[in-house]
Amino acid sequence: MPLSAAAMAAAMTVLVTAVVPGAAASAGTSPGAPTSGAPTSGAPTSGVPASAASVPEAPVGEVVGAAPLPEADLSHHGYVSFSNGHIAIRIRSENLGPSDVTASTVRLRFSAPLAVTQELPYDCLRSGKATVLCETGGLRSGGGARQTALDLRPTGGPDEVIVRLDTVWNGGVRDTDPKNNVHQVLAPATGDAYAF
């Protein structure tokens, strides 16, 4: 998934609603309103004729007939340091397998807004006042790690910054151990490196 598409996916929530054909479709009726011949006892009706055959439902979250997702284990580690108004971040992203990952996107969220003008690596982009998204590219199972280095400036002159890091796109695989790609680091403005 291209980085711009990952940014859109991170910003949107998709809601799926089931629609029953014929429900509230008659002219002049609204959902839940009794229709001619409908019971008027005050009991709610579904709007579906009693003669309609019931449709078996799939368990929530399961796609009927879909193949199981490949499994992988994305891992992000590195360090954060903060001094002289600069946040230095080094990220090592790798895939511990068993399946390859075609691409992944790391999201970095900061407790302070970032300066409007920032020099970002070519594979990173802004996603709001205090969020940066970085694409790792493909990650082979058990292959070499990808390095991402950022030097960012927050606004407001904070004495410390909290950095929250997670994976916002994992190439469509099921991550078997998401704990090693979600981190939160508190970095005081001392210049010390704090590992994650």
Side-chain angles (χ1 to χ4, degrees):
M1 171 182 278
L3 187 57
S4 58
M8 288 176 45
M12 296 184 341
T13 303
V14 178
L15 300 175
V16 178
T17 306
V19 176
V20 178
S26 354
T29 61
S30 60
T35 58
S36 62
T40 56
S41 63
T45 61
S46 66
V48 179
S51 61
S54 63
V55 177
E57 294 183 18
V60 174
E62 180 179 318
V63 178
V64 178
L69 292 175
E71 294 182 357
D73 182 11
L74 294 180
S75 171
H76 306 296
H77 294 289
Y79 70 87
V80 176
S81 64
F82 180 35
S83 67
N84 300 321
H86 287 265
I87 307 167
I89 303 171
R90 302 296 178 264
I91 306 168
R92 176 184 167 91
S93 301
E94 60 186 324
N95 175 12
L96 305 176
S99 300
D100 292 345
V101 173
T102 56
S104 73
T105 303
V106 177
R107 176 173 53 188
L108 298 141
R109 292 176 289 169
F110 300 88
S111 59
L114 300 173
V116 174
T117 56
Q118 298 280 341
E119 188 172 334
L120 297 173
Y122 74 94
D123 52 359
C124 296
L125 59 79
R126 295 285 295 265
S127 176
K129 293 180 180 179
T131 304
V132 173
L133 300 174
C134 294
E135 187 175 22
T136 67
L139 296 171
R140 289 184 299 115
S141 173
R146 296 287 184 108
Q147 306 286 336
T148 304
L150 298 110
D151 182 15
L152 304 171
R153 291 175 291 108
T155 60
D159 294 330
E160 62 186 26
V161 67
I162 297 172
V163 181
R164 294 175 182 87
L165 182 144
D166 64 345
T167 301
V168 71
W169 169 249
N170 64 5
V173 300
R174 186 170 71 86
D175 195 331
T176 57
D177 182 16
K179 294 186 301 291
N180 58 5
N181 63 40
V182 178
H183 305 284
Q184 179 172 307
V185 182
L186 170 65
T190 60
D192 297 316
Y194 294 88
F196 60 86

